[in-house]
Amino acid sequence: MRRSFKLSKSSSSDKLNKSKSSICSPTSLSMKKKDVQENNSLVVCFGELLIDFVPTVSGVSLAEAPGFKKAPGGAPANVAVGIARLGGSSAFIGKVGADEFGYMLADILKQNHVDNSGMRFDTHARTALAFVTLRADGEREFMFFRNPSADMLLTEAELDKDLIQKVSEDEITFLTNGEDAYDDNVVMTKLFHPNLKLLLVTEGGDGCRYYTKYFHGRVNGIKVTAVDTTGAGDAFVGGLLNSMASDPDIYMDEKKLRDTLLFANGCGAVTVTEKGAIPALPTKEAVLKILDGATAN
């Protein structure tokens, strides 16, 4: 899953410099950093970091596109930048090629105040590239160029198999063998388990659903005109993790959780109004502005 994440309070940021060069599981972790102020947690994201080539004109095929805009992307890296844009502390662990694109991406993370000391550079594989087809409604399809790319070079033994999945309605349908993704009983029966503290189901522009041991509900999305939906889910996760890093028990208070999810929905809404992922990720001020001026679905 490209957007799965897990929160941990026991790890140290020293792991950034000791990590293996091939670590690239698409996951986000929240860890306490000893040298930051109290109540300020470091969110460490690891996984893919690549270049998205976005067509300058929407609603055309890749072959028909007259040109492309180069945009840094990759779900975990998007989350890391999203958190930093919101004023949080984040770091990225991952692997890119020892090429111009790879070094450019490392610089972009640094420019966006993301700790990139956990990045590794592969001299035998290139940085991943993805060409994105934008439909008129802003939805997209990807064509990846990997043979393989540097971010793919990891082994099964290096993967964290104990991940908490963040899932969408499409993934619920897959995980429940085709059952109704919108049926709360299906979600609670098939996906929720005693050790799970919070389960979220994202619904794009329609918002999201949340499930805990004690309550469940839905938070509506924000109405905007979508230009490019690339990175919207990552912006949502960044907004969520940024809040949970400073208040890990937020899932126990339904009002606080709903406010957090509304803010995360706002992060996604701002992101779809511009092309590209990282370039479109919002600041906290931009999210508050769109929440103040927009209406919920």
Side-chain angles (χ1 to χ4, degrees), residues 27-47:
T27 304
S28 308
L29 302 179
S30 175
M31 298 188 270
K32 293 293 185 183
K33 190 175 183 181
K34 295 180 180 178
D35 58 349
V36 296
Q37 295 180 352
E38 189 176 357
N39 297 325
N40 186 16
S41 297
L42 177 71
V43 180
V44 180
C45 307
F46 59 97

Side-chain angles (χ1 to χ4, degrees), residues 140-194:
R140 74 274 188 239
E141 296 178 351
F142 294 90
M143 178 183 292
F144 291 94
F145 282 75
R146 287 168 160 157
N147 192 34
S149 55
D151 64 304
M152 295 177 66
L153 299 181
L154 80 161
T155 65
E156 184 177 351
E158 294 170 319
L159 287 173
D160 182 349
K161 300 182 186 300
D162 192 25
L163 302 178
I164 298 175
Q165 273 131 26
K166 184 159 187 325
V167 293
S168 71
E169 64 270 22
D170 291 337
E171 290 159 344
I172 286 182
T173 301
F174 172 76
L175 292 171
T176 58
N177 294 320
E179 295 195 41
D180 186 0
Y182 295 92
D183 187 334
D184 289 338
N185 291 326
V186 170
V187 175
M188 294 299 290
T189 302
K190 296 295 184 71
L191 298 181
F192 205 86
H193 57 78

Side-chain angles (χ1 to χ4, degrees), residues 41-60:
S41 297
L42 177 71
V43 180
V44 180
C45 307
F46 59 97
E48 69 176 7
L49 175 58
L50 47 76
I51 303 290
D52 286 328
F53 286 89
V54 184
T56 54
V57 176
S58 299
V60 298

Side-chain angles (χ1 to χ4, degrees), residues 214-248:
Y214 309 107
F215 51 77
H216 68 270
R218 185 175 182 276
V219 177
N220 292 330
I222 306 300
K223 293 181 179 180
V224 295
T225 301
V227 174
D228 179 7
T229 58
T230 305
D234 306 327
F236 173 91
V237 173
L240 172 67
L241 290 183
N242 186 56
S243 297
M244 293 189 74
S246 59
D247 187 0

Side-chain angles (χ1 to χ4, degrees), residues 58-80:
S58 299
V60 298
S61 67
L62 290 177
E64 295 170 330
F68 296 87
K69 176 184 177 182
K70 180 178 58 180
N78 294 343
V79 171

